[in-house]
Amino acid sequence: MVFINLALVFYTIGVWWERLSRTLRPAHLAFFWAGFVCDSTGTEAMRRIMGGRFELNLHGVTGLTALTLMFVRALWASWVLARGDEEAKHRFHRFSVLVWAIWLVPYFTGYLLSMAMRG
């Protein structure tokens, strides 16, 4: 749970800071990667707790989709910054909030599932 919540903090800071500044900076990229690493770590821990199985349900499918999108987005940001294309840095934010919103679906469904298991 700690890593999943850290992923939320890091990814939210990275996405909204980048969005509000309207240009991609190396610090944003660090938050994207930190969010991805925390989410991957937390997801793996949860998978092990659940006995190593993947469930084909809303949480499982959106979680895998969100994790993949986070990875692709971080790779893309790395590429944009490495190229140094100022126009690409300014356009990068167009889909960041959408990827973040998609990521929130498995975050909240996971939260609801954990509450259902406890109660």
Side-chain angles (χ1 to χ4, degrees):
M1 295 295 288
V2 171
F3 282 106
I4 298 296
N5 286 317
L6 284 173
L8 175 66
V9 170
F10 289 138
Y11 205 61
T12 299
I13 290 170
V15 166
W16 285 100
W17 185 17
E18 183 253 339
R19 173 77 178 186
L20 294 171
S21 67
R22 298 197 178 271
T23 191
L24 179 63
R25 296 187 179 121
H28 305 142
L29 178 62
F31 278 99
F32 296 157
W33 280 114
F36 173 74
V37 167
C38 286
D39 194 31
S40 299
T41 302
T43 299
E44 177 59 17
M46 295 297 173
R47 186 188 68 79
R48 288 180 184 198
I49 289 168
M50 297 298 295
R53 64 182 191 273
F54 173 80
E55 294 189 18
L56 192 60
N57 57 21
L58 177 66
H59 179 70
V61 171
T62 59
L64 183 59
T65 301
L67 196 57
T68 302
L69 287 171
M70 286 175 76
F71 180 69
V72 169
R73 200 80 179 132
L75 280 178
W76 185 7
S78 299
W79 182 73
V80 166
L81 285 171
R83 278 189 37 214
D85 181 341
E86 291 303 315
E87 185 177 330
K89 289 180 193 178
H90 291 293
R91 284 193 323 259
F92 186 81
H93 71 273
R94 290 184 182 169
F95 297 106
S96 295
V97 174
L98 176 62
V99 171
W100 174 79
I102 291 168
W103 186 86
L104 288 177
V105 173
Y107 177 84
F108 284 114
T109 59
Y111 175 77
L112 293 173
L113 287 170
S114 71
M115 290 294 108
M117 288 179 174
R118 291 182 190 174

